[in-house]
Coordinates of all heavy atoms in Angstrom, one line a residue:
K192 N 6.9 18.6 -14.3 CA 6.8 19.4 -13.1 C 5.4 19.9 -12.8 O 5.1 20.2 -11.6 CB 7.8 20.5 -13.1 CG 7.6 21.6 -14.2 CD 8.6 22.7 -14.1 CE 8.3 23.7 -15.2 NZ 9.4 24.8 -15.2
E193 N 4.6 19.9 -13.8 CA 3.2 20.4 -13.6 C 2.3 19.3 -13.1 O 1.2 19.6 -12.6 CB 2.6 21.0 -14.9 CG 3.3 22.2 -15.4 CD 4.5 22.0 -16.2 OE1 4.7 20.8 -16.6 OE2 5.3 22.9 -16.5
N194 N 2.7 18.0 -13.2 CA 1.8 16.9 -12.8 C 2.3 16.2 -11.6 O 3.5 16.0 -11.4 CB 1.8 15.9 -14.0 CG 0.8 16.3 -15.1 OD1 -0.1 17.0 -14.8 ND2 1.1 15.9 -16.3
S195 N 1.4 15.9 -10.7 CA 1.6 15.1 -9.5 C 1.1 13.7 -9.9 O -0.1 13.5 -10.1 CB 0.9 15.6 -8.3 OG 1.0 14.7 -7.2
I196 N 2.0 12.7 -10.0 CA 1.7 11.4 -10.5 C 1.9 10.4 -9.3 O 3.0 10.3 -8.7 CB 2.5 11.0 -11.7 CG1 2.2 12.0 -12.8 CG2 2.1 9.6 -12.2 CD1 3.1 11.7 -14.1
I197 N 0.9 9.6 -9.0 CA 1.0 8.5 -8.0 C 0.5 7.2 -8.6 O -0.5 7.2 -9.3 CB 0.2 8.9 -6.8 CG1 0.5 10.3 -6.2 CG2 0.4 7.8 -5.7 CD1 -0.3 10.7 -5.0
T198 N 1.2 6.1 -8.3 CA 0.8 4.8 -8.8 C 0.6 3.9 -7.6 O 1.3 4.1 -6.5 CB 1.9 4.2 -9.7 OG1 3.0 3.7 -9.0 CG2 2.4 5.2 -10.8
I199 N -0.3 2.9 -7.7 CA -0.4 1.8 -6.8 C -0.3 0.6 -7.6 O -1.1 0.4 -8.5 CB -1.6 1.9 -5.9 CG1 -1.7 0.8 -4.9 CG2 -2.9 2.1 -6.7 CD1 -2.6 0.9 -3.8
E200 N 0.6 -0.3 -7.3 CA 1.0 -1.5 -8.1 C 1.2 -2.7 -7.3 O 1.4 -2.6 -6.1 CB 2.2 -1.2 -8.9 CG 2.2 0.2 -9.7 CD 3.5 0.5 -10.2 OE1 4.1 -0.2 -11.0 OE2 4.0 1.6 -9.9
D201 N 1.1 -3.8 -7.9 CA 1.4 -5.1 -7.3 C 2.0 -6.1 -8.3 O 1.4 -6.8 -9.0 CB 0.0 -5.7 -6.8 CG 0.2 -7.0 -6.0 OD1 1.4 -7.2 -5.5 OD2 -0.7 -7.8 -5.9
P202 N 3.4 -6.1 -8.2 CA 4.3 -5.2 -7.5 C 4.7 -4.0 -8.3 O 4.4 -3.9 -9.5 CB 5.5 -6.1 -7.2 CG 5.6 -7.0 -8.5 CD 4.1 -7.2 -8.9
V203 N 5.6 -3.1 -7.8 CA 6.2 -2.1 -8.5 C 7.3 -2.7 -9.4 O 8.2 -3.3 -8.9 CB 6.8 -1.0 -7.6 CG1 7.6 0.0 -8.4 CG2 5.7 -0.3 -6.8
E204 N 7.1 -2.6 -10.7 CA 8.0 -3.2 -11.6 C 9.2 -2.3 -12.1 O 10.3 -2.8 -12.2 CB 7.3 -3.8 -12.9 CG 6.2 -4.8 -12.5 CD 6.1 -5.9 -13.6 OE1 6.8 -5.9 -14.5 OE2 5.2 -6.7 -13.4
Y205 N 8.9 -1.1 -12.4 CA 9.9 -0.2 -12.8 C 9.9 1.1 -11.9 O 8.9 1.6 -11.6 CB 9.7 0.3 -14.2 CG 9.6 -0.8 -15.2 CD1 8.3 -1.2 -15.7 CD2 10.7 -1.4 -15.8 CE1 8.1 -2.2 -16.6 CE2 10.5 -2.5 -16.7 CZ 9.2 -2.8 -17.1 OH 9.1 -3.8 -18.1
A206 N 11.1 1.5 -11.4 CA 11.2 2.7 -10.6 C 11.4 3.9 -11.5 O 12.3 3.9 -12.3 CB 12.3 2.6 -9.6
I207 N 10.5 4.9 -11.4 CA 10.6 6.1 -12.2 C 10.8 7.3 -11.3 O 10.1 7.5 -10.3 CB 9.3 6.2 -13.0 CG1 9.1 5.0 -13.9 CG2 9.4 7.5 -13.9 CD1 7.8 5.1 -14.7
D208 N 11.8 8.1 -11.7 CA 12.1 9.3 -10.9 C 10.9 10.3 -10.9 O 10.2 10.4 -11.9 CB 13.3 10.0 -11.5 CG 14.6 9.2 -11.3 OD1 14.6 8.3 -10.4 OD2 15.6 9.4 -12.1
D209 N 10.7 10.9 -9.7 CA 9.8 12.0 -9.6 C 8.3 11.5 -9.6 O 7.4 12.3 -9.7 CB 9.9 13.1 -10.6 CG 11.3 13.7 -10.6 OD1 11.8 13.9 -9.5 OD2 11.8 14.0 -11.7
I210 N 8.1 10.2 -9.5 CA 6.8 9.6 -9.4 C 6.7 8.8 -8.1 O 7.6 8.0 -7.8 CB 6.5 8.7 -10.6 CG1 6.4 9.5 -11.9 CG2 5.2 7.9 -10.4 CD1 6.1 8.7 -13.1
R211 N 5.6 9.1 -7.4 CA 5.4 8.3 -6.1 C 4.7 7.0 -6.4 O 3.6 7.0 -6.9 CB 4.5 9.2 -5.2 CG 5.3 10.4 -4.6 CD 4.3 11.3 -3.9 NE 3.5 12.1 -4.8 CZ 2.5 12.8 -4.5 NH1 2.2 12.9 -3.2 NH2 1.8 13.5 -5.4
Q212 N 5.4 5.9 -6.1 CA 5.0 4.6 -6.4 C 4.7 3.8 -5.1 O 5.6 3.7 -4.3 CB 6.0 3.9 -7.3 CG 6.2 4.5 -8.7 CD 7.3 3.9 -9.5 OE1 8.4 4.4 -9.4 NE2 7.0 2.9 -10.3
I213 N 3.5 3.3 -5.0 CA 3.1 2.5 -3.8 C 2.9 1.1 -4.2 O 2.3 0.8 -5.2 CB 1.8 3.1 -3.2 CG1 2.0 4.6 -2.9 CG2 1.3 2.4 -2.0 CD1 0.7 5.3 -2.6
Q214 N 3.4 0.2 -3.3 CA 3.2 -1.2 -3.6 C 2.1 -1.8 -2.7 O 2.1 -1.5 -1.5 CB 4.5 -2.0 -3.3 CG 4.3 -3.5 -3.6 CD 5.7 -4.2 -3.9 OE1 6.5 -3.6 -4.6 NE2 5.9 -5.4 -3.4
V215 N 1.2 -2.6 -3.3 CA 0.1 -3.3 -2.5 C 0.8 -4.2 -1.5 O 1.8 -4.8 -1.7 CB -0.8 -4.1 -3.5 CG1 -1.7 -5.0 -2.7 CG2 -1.6 -3.1 -4.3
N216 N 0.2 -4.2 -0.3 CA 0.6 -5.1 0.8 C -0.6 -5.6 1.5 O -1.2 -4.9 2.4 CB 1.6 -4.3 1.8 CG 2.2 -5.2 2.8 OD1 1.8 -6.3 3.1 ND2 3.4 -4.7 3.3
S217 N -1.0 -6.8 1.2 CA -2.2 -7.4 1.8 C -2.1 -7.6 3.3 O -3.0 -7.6 4.0 CB -2.5 -8.7 1.1 OG -1.4 -9.6 1.2

Side-chain angles (χ1 to χ4, degrees):
K192 63 181 180 180
E193 292 85 11
N194 280 330
S195 170
I196 302 175
I197 306 179
T198 74
I199 179 162
E200 309 168 58
D201 184 22
V203 174
E204 299 216 4
Y205 306 99
I207 303 178
D208 292 338
D209 302 322
I210 291 178
R211 289 169 286 171
Q212 296 173 270
I213 301 170
Q214 181 158 320
V215 165
N216 188 336
S217 57

